[in-house]
Amino acid sequence: MSGDFVKKCPECGGINLFYNKEKGEVICKDCGLVVEEKMVDFDQEWREFDGDSGESKRRTGAPMTYTQYDQGLGTEVGQKADLYKLEGKEKNKFFRLRKWQYRISTAIERNLKLALAELKRVSSYLKLPKSVEEEAARIYTLAVQRGLVRGRSMESVVAGSLYAACRRHDVPRTLDELSEASGIEKKEVGRTYRFVTRELGITILPSNPADYIARFASSLKLSAETQSRAIEILERAQKSELTSGRGPTGIAAAALYVSALIHGEKRTQREVADVAGVTEVTIRNRYKELLDRLKLEKEIKKTKKKKE
DNA sequence: AAGACGAAAGTGGTTGA
DNA sequence: TCAACAACTTTCGTCTT
């Protein structure tokens, strides 16, 4: 492995980094820069393809957070020295707390076992790469340890973690797909996704519409030329600032729709809308914007004439 | 008859006071 | 915490092919 356990501050290059567990931040003591949560996530990406021993590595892989969990409880229950000072009721209280600690930790173990099984199921249903599954498992583990599952169903947090992992690895799956695979309502998946990423301080880059093109194109059985034309259209659209603030799937769908028209491989708005998980209306809106700004009318007319 | 178009009203989330 | 707001959806009537 790449053995870079010594993290450097990207600002000043110093190695005096301080990890604030509560906040999940990394702070550089030299220049005061908050290097933020990315540092924690980096080692996940190095550990991508370690195939067989996934389970065991997962356990040993996150010492910092496991210790955090122990610390939290440890201070609540008290040190051994305190035990001698206690009597009667107090002693009982102490043992009751100990019992609780035991129960909680086994509860977490059990929860994790179940959840990771569910996560594996959904992940294989969606044919996600191993690296994404690993990341999702880590995210979920963190979520459990921070008690973020309370008040939410285990399944929805699993779905949210998977969605987040997909986004971070540029392997976008739509909320609809996650929803279908996990049996959790789309709203709920989105909600827990946002909640979990915010609480864990995971930064998510807005997903790139181009990442969706390949998948959409193949389920619509469109040619490779159509596909690359769609990507080209997307690039131009981005330069014309047609993409900011809009849903990436809608833009990808519209670009694909136009591209199909140009190449004489027409698909109905309905068909495109279905695979992209948006409505025809959205495609129409994006489509119109594309035509207005990028003057693609000519190209469409060209192929129309060719047919005659 | 199917597809494309667009208006109008509703939903869920973000933002800024 | 609440209201304004933007993006997107649903629904539905009309036009086009």
Side-chain angles (χ1 to χ4, degrees), chain A residues 282-295:
Chain A
T282 303
I283 291 192
R284 281 201 288 274
N285 291 335
R286 295 297 93 81
Y287 167 65
K288 219 179 121 195
E289 291 167 3
L290 286 177
L291 290 191
D292 285 349
R293 294 283 206 100
L294 304 179
K295 41 186 178 176

Side-chain angles (χ1 to χ4, degrees), chain A residues 149 151-157 159-161 175 179 182-196:
Chain A
V149 188
R152 260 164 273 271
S153 77
M154 190 196 80
E155 288 89 347
S156 72
V157 180
S161 306
L175 278 176
S179 169
S182 64
I184 304 293
E185 252 187 282
K186 187 178 159 189
K187 269 190 246 164
E188 188 62 24
V189 179
R191 206 197 305 276
T192 47
Y193 156 71
R194 245 171 287 116
F195 179 72
V196 166

Side-chain angles (χ1 to χ4, degrees), chain A residues 19-26 36-37 40 146 200-201:
Chain A
Y19 177 53
N20 181 329
K21 283 173 188 167
E22 270 99 331
K23 292 191 176 178
E25 292 173 346
V26 175
E36 78 177 351
E37 58 291 328
V40 183
R146 300 232 186 151
L200 296 180

